Amino acid sequence: SQQGEEDPQALSIQEGENATMNCSYKTSINNLQWYRQNSGRGLVHLILIRSNEREKHSGRLRVTLDTSKKSSSLLITASRAADTASYFCATDGKGAQKLVFGQGTRLTINP
Amino acid sequence: DAGVIQSPRHEVTEMGQEVTLRCKPISGHNSLFWYRQTMMRGLELLIYFNNNVPIDDSGMPEDRFSAKMPNASFSTLKIQPSEPRDSAVYFCASRPDSAWNSPLHFGNGTRLTVT
């Protein structure tokens, strides 16, 4: 089964609003990564947060990690139509080199 | 930097035919991954290589699937014989090394349709 599970499966908001997506995972990790996928394209890496970090920022992105709850959240502030995409979290099990992806959240930003 | 290059972008074939998907990783990257994406199962890791050596192929669905990496700049994923349930988008990804904090760089995928 997948290591990471995103919630919600789909999210539709108005441009300018903030979008929050959540990810839960099952085993201990070294890091957690978030990726974006535009329709018909490959995934693009957004941000990585290490297991000893609790929060990380990159532009309009904010990621939090709670290892005690085995969960992470991705916040996109001041959303734009161009943010419309699917967002995936990915985790590595400690000692593992491979990344396992969740099912993703489909985000739609309405103009 | 040309990125990860996959070919073909689209492949339509009949059940029973052999299908070969190709991937050129980013130059200098020594880890390569093959993923399959479907609506039902999401992104599944099929196999990954470090320094051209297969490390974990536990995600390969069955013996009909095989993957090779004859050199650092080329990998293939072969399905023989293909079946309709193999229809999916197949992604190749590479990263500079096997370090756990190294992000993946994805190609744009091959959309496979088996009729």
Side-chain angles (χ1 to χ4, degrees):
Chain A
S1 63
Q2 297 292 337
Q3 165 76 315
E5 296 294 336
E6 285 90 343
D7 165 54
Q9 289 189 340
L11 178 63
S12 180
I13 61 174
Q14 295 299 118
E15 194 168 21
E17 294 180 340
N18 296 340
T20 300
M21 289 157 275
N22 303 297
C23 168
S24 60
Y25 57 93
K26 298 176 182 175
T27 65
S28 296
I29 60 172
N30 289 309
N31 70 77
L32 185 144
Q33 303 182 29
W34 284 90
Y35 288 77
R36 184 186 71 206
Q37 183 180 32
N38 289 92
S39 180
R41 312 284 287 184
L43 282 73
V44 175
H45 179 258
L46 293 176
I47 194 167
L48 177 152
I49 186 166
R50 302 175 189 230
S51 59
N52 62 354
E53 297 177 313
R54 292 296 166 259
E55 188 171 311
K56 199 163 183 179
H57 297 255
S58 177
R60 293 184 296 112
L61 305 180
R62 174 181 161 233
V63 170
T64 62
L65 179 64
D66 187 335
T67 53
S68 67
K69 296 181 180 178
K70 293 186 169 56
S71 67
S72 174
S73 67
L74 171 67
L75 169 67
I76 303 175
T77 60
S79 63
R80 305 168 181 169
D83 295 329
T84 294
S86 292
Y87 292 81
F88 296 84
C89 67
T91 54
D92 64 337
K94 272 192 181 292
Q97 298 172 352
K98 60 187 182 183
L99 279 182
V100 178
F101 287 81
Q103 293 279 61
T105 292
R106 292 189 307 278
L107 175 65
T108 301
I109 309 299
N110 301 303
Chain B
D1 183 354
V4 176
I5 300 173
Q6 292 187 245
S7 64
R9 284 284 278 141
H10 302 274
E11 177 79 39
V12 180
T13 189
E14 292 184 347
M15 181 174 62
Q17 297 297 307
E18 176 179 297
V19 175
T20 299
L21 311 181
R22 297 172 175 80
C23 175
K24 177 178 169 57
I26 293 173
S27 178
H29 285 193
N30 59 16
S31 289
L32 183 141
F33 299 72
W34 282 101
Y35 285 87
R36 177 172 70 175
Q37 186 177 37
T38 61
M39 287 294 293
M40 291 297 296
R41 301 174 69 90
L43 265 166
E44 301 173 277
L45 176 63
L46 301 178
I47 185 171
Y48 75 96
F49 297 82
N50 281 347
N51 296 314
N52 313 337
V53 176
I55 302 300
D56 185 344
D57 66 354
S58 59
M60 296 285 261
E62 48 197 272
D63 291 346
R64 298 185 297 106
F65 285 68
S66 63
K68 294 182 180 179
M69 193 164 185
N71 57 62
S73 60
F74 184 64
S75 177
T76 60
L77 178 67
K78 184 177 294 186
I79 308 172
Q80 166 63 20
S82 58
E83 297 181 3
R85 60 190 167 128
D86 301 330
S87 297
V89 181
Y90 291 81
F91 287 101
C92 174
S94 69
R95 65 182 183 189
D97 53 42
S98 59
W100 52 263
N101 59 352
S102 182
L104 293 181
H105 299 255
F106 280 79
N108 282 324
T110 295
R111 181 175 294 278
L112 173 65
T113 303
V114 183
T115 60

